[in-house]
Amino acid sequence: MSAESSVIRVNGTAVAPPGDPRVSLLDFLRETLGLHGTKKGCDQGGCGACTLLVDGERILSCLALAVQYTGRDVVTVEALADGDRLHPVQQAFIDHDGFQCGYCTPGQICSAIGMAGELERGVPSHVTEDLSAKRAELTAEELRERMSGNLCRCGAHNGIVAAIAKAHQAGQLSDSGRAAR
Amino acid sequence: MKPFVYKKAGTVAEAVRAGAAPGAKYLGGGTNLVDLMRETIEQPATLVDVTGLSSDIRRLRDGGLLIGAAVRNTELATHREVRTRYPVLTRAVVAGASGQIRNMATVGGNMLQRTRCAYFYDAKGSRCNKRNPGQGCDAIEGFNRMHAILGASSACVATHPSDMSVALAALDAVVHLDGPGGPREVPLTELHRLPGETPEVETVLRQGELVTAVELPPLSWAKRSTYRKVRDRASYAFALVSVAAAIDVRGGKVKEVRIALGGVAHKPWRAREAEAALSGGPATVKAFRAAAEAELADARPLRDNGFKVELAARTITAVLGELAGGVR
């Protein structure tokens, strides 16, 4: 195995995977690396709070064994802002009241950024009518369907949808900042 | 979670060698298996990671497609030939799970995922013949609104949760396997078993066998195919009933038809009774309804899921009507 493929890159830094293969990517980030931005909600793939980006794609870190992610680029909510300048999607969540308690927010934001990449790559959704179209428009219906894997128990979904829609209209959703680099 | 040894396979041969060890299991995206391990329902001694194997989709000489077992659900649904030539498959994949899970889940793992029966999952509090053969089944007399109406047994009334596999059943897909006994092929409709007296045996896979690919036959008329999933909420929920169908209507007559049902049985349910009833006959709503009723004649609903019989009949009728376009 090459040196590159034996480590996990987390927010740009190479780290050795955990010795115990039982450790989830989520627990590895929170307990070993001290990155508490990624949240543990249900820990069984039902809520989306643990969503982060791997090679630009959104996944659930609670169902991911950390050892499976060597050679991959993991980006968490901690790496989205550029210094003191928030990522546009983070700013949009503030501007549009996209949260109440904030627990689901890192997952929502990472999910929205991952979703934008899927739209660009032409990934269809359950509500995409024309499967032959190269790319679906992010209508309100598409947005809600594509974000259905992220629950908000406070019920801030209206603000969340507004924040993501606004960031998308401003062309900032696909600008995944450091996540893209 | 019980301790286990993790191995990443670089080739099919390597995977099969590691997978032959007692207590070994193959690991795809982990979206179901990791959860089951955390609940101690699955306790593998070795996990053989096969996500590095066959992850491309290629066109075969006969015009069909060969889909590698490690292809992620998102890639499968997005592939241009899949979405244009086999829309039922794209529709089924995107009807399942969430965007995040579809990015992780593999084709092989999707087929081999286990039931979401709540009694199966409740390892501490419920009896289950799948978890503990011979123990009894708490679903049969329990809350069984989500459970099977076709092909169930007195030992198990669980349903298979996959959407993708229902589309594959309708498309006459063939599953490519490899294992200690060498490679072989099994039709998707014969991969999963009905529960009978041994509901813990869910597929015909032999010890150490690995799914390497799924083959779709050419089926030019599958362009006119779709998947409809009826569920308790609009997204991110398992099916109450789902229907995968493809139909070829010529001059008002049904030339070819394929129908499979999800959410109703221990396996993706290929509706051969309905297909036989329709074949060569008129493509009318009345005929579609009669065919659906023929398929469901043997349905045996439980206390809470009687609604599934009518729901399945109406969904089959509606989907065929939609595909046939403006028939009466």
Side-chain angles (χ1 to χ4, degrees), chain A residues 43 45 62 128-129 131 148, chain B residues 38 83 91 100 103 235-236:
Chain A
D43 209 25
C62 76
T128 306
E129 274 181 33
L131 290 185
S148 73
Chain B
R38 207 169 270 149
R83 60 204 277 183
R91 294 269 181 225
Q100 291 96 313
N103 284 341
S235 186
Y236 205 15

Side-chain angles (χ1 to χ4, degrees), chain B residues 200-289:
Chain B
E200 73 279 13
V201 185
E202 293 170 352
T203 68
V204 299
L205 287 181
R206 296 170 189 149
Q207 172 67 34
E209 265 188 330
L210 170 71
V211 175
T212 57
V214 181
E215 181 179 340
L216 299 181
L219 293 186
S220 59
W221 45 273
K223 281 199 298 286
R224 191 175 283 274
S225 65
T226 197
Y227 186 75
R228 191 180 294 190
K229 181 176 183 179
V230 185
R231 42 187 160 172
D232 283 332
R233 36 173 212 242
S235 186
Y236 205 15
F238 290 98
L240 294 167
V241 162
S242 69
V243 174
I247 193 166
D248 187 13
V249 177
R250 302 277 173 92
K253 298 261 191 246
V254 177
K255 185 156 178 282
E256 296 270 11
V257 63
R258 298 283 191 283
I259 306 165
L261 309 178
V264 296
H266 197 257
K267 60 184 283 185
W269 187 268
R270 178 70 178 264
R272 297 199 192 273
E273 297 279 343
E275 291 175 10
L278 286 169
S279 191
T284 62
V285 170
K286 200 174 152 199
F288 297 156
R289 173 76 199 192

Side-chain angles (χ1 to χ4, degrees), chain A residues 22-68:
Chain A
R22 291 177 294 179
V23 178
S24 68
L25 186 54
L26 174 62
D27 285 341
F28 182 58
L29 292 168
R30 292 181 58 87
E31 310 297 329
T32 306
L33 303 184
L35 293 170
H36 301 126
T38 309
K39 298 293 186 273
K40 183 182 280 193
C42 67
D43 209 25
Q44 55 181 15
C47 76
C50 66
T51 303
L52 45 69
L53 299 164
V54 174
D55 297 335
E57 290 185 12
R58 54 180 173 164
I59 67 151
L60 297 181
S61 59
C62 76
L63 295 181
L65 295 177
V67 287
Q68 274 198 295

